[in-house]
Amino acid sequence: MLNFIAALVVAYLIGSVSFAVVVSRFSGLADPRTYGSKNPGATNVLRSGNKKAAILTLLGDALKGTLAVALAFHFQDQLGLTRSDIAWVGLAAFIGHLYPVFFKFEGGKGVATALGVLIGLNWALGLATAVTWVVIAYFFRYSSLAALIASLFAVFYNVLLFGINGQAVAVAIMSALLIYRHKQNIANLIAGKESKIGQKSK
């Protein structure tokens, strides 16, 4: 139990590294929490007009989710972790991104990190979810809509691949939290006020 708790804490700390803020600082850009949607994520960084910074943010936020899960798998035997335990470790990293201890608990919405966690759990699960996001984003040009639909499909894909178990619960909670963090986006979509992908902040 202590090993499991320690793994959760480490994963949370890994997830708490906000690449949107870090990359923006090193790139000489404004804090992403001060413009656009005020969300420290790749989509909002893209509104600064700096595509390189947005790509680095996307990769960093995704890789930290994958890293947390990969480390849990690597030390699985030593720590006595089950596959379901590792899914909860991934969830801890995701929560770290949403509420980062290093940045006054002001985090992003978790799309990239959630994808990184899913890829870490199973490449097919992550790939299917990513393709779903790309398809919706391509046709509708709304990152938030793509994230909402992909998060729901992620739960379906996971059950399809692994059945209903502890991992399914962890993925479902991650999906629910992601949807909750998009509540303002949902309101904007309904009102027709949501910004499209690549649209610069005024």
Side-chain angles (χ1 to χ4, degrees):
M1 178 59 104
L2 288 178
N3 287 339
F4 176 53
I5 293 174
L8 293 177
V9 172
V10 171
Y12 169 78
L13 294 177
I14 291 174
S16 288
V17 179
S18 178
F19 280 90
V21 177
V22 173
V23 170
S24 292
R25 286 179 182 175
F26 277 99
S27 301
L29 302 174
D31 190 319
R33 295 171 294 180
T34 64
Y35 64 83
S37 65
K38 294 182 172 56
N39 173 60
T43 301
N44 202 38
V45 172
L46 183 60
R47 293 190 178 105
S48 71
N50 192 319
K51 293 183 180 180
K52 181 179 178 181
I55 292 173
L56 289 174
T57 298
L58 177 67
L59 291 175
D61 283 344
L63 287 173
K64 69 184 182 184
T66 304
L67 175 63
V69 174
L71 286 174
F73 271 121
H74 182 74
F75 294 105
Q76 180 177 9
D77 293 336
Q78 294 93 318
L79 298 177
L81 301 177
T82 65
R83 185 176 185 88
S84 292
D85 290 337
I86 293 173
W88 287 91
V89 168
L91 176 61
F94 175 76
I95 292 175
H97 178 80
L98 302 187
Y99 307 102
V101 66
F102 304 130
F103 297 93
K104 301 179 180 179
F105 302 101
E106 297 175 358
K109 295 173 183 175
V111 178
T113 304
L115 180 59
V117 169
L118 294 176
I119 291 173
L121 290 173
N122 180 268
W123 69 268
L125 173 61
L127 179 61
T129 304
V131 169
T132 302
W133 186 96
V134 169
V135 170
I136 300 301
Y138 177 80
F139 283 105
F140 296 96
R141 306 302 297 171
Y142 289 110
S143 174
S144 56
L145 179 63
L148 292 167
I149 293 176
S151 67
L152 292 174
F153 271 88
V155 178
F156 169 73
Y157 296 143
N158 185 80
V159 171
L160 195 64
L161 289 168
F162 301 102
I164 299 176
N165 49 29
Q167 177 171 311
V169 174
V171 171
I173 291 174
M174 187 164 65
S175 176
L177 285 171
L178 189 147
I179 292 171
Y180 170 74
R181 294 287 287 188
H182 280 79
K183 60 184 184 296
Q184 185 58 53
N185 300 90
I186 295 172
N188 289 342
L189 284 166
I190 294 173
K193 298 178 181 179
E194 183 72 347
S195 298
K196 292 191 174 183
I197 294 173
Q199 181 178 330
K200 291 185 179 180
S201 133
K202 296 181 181 179

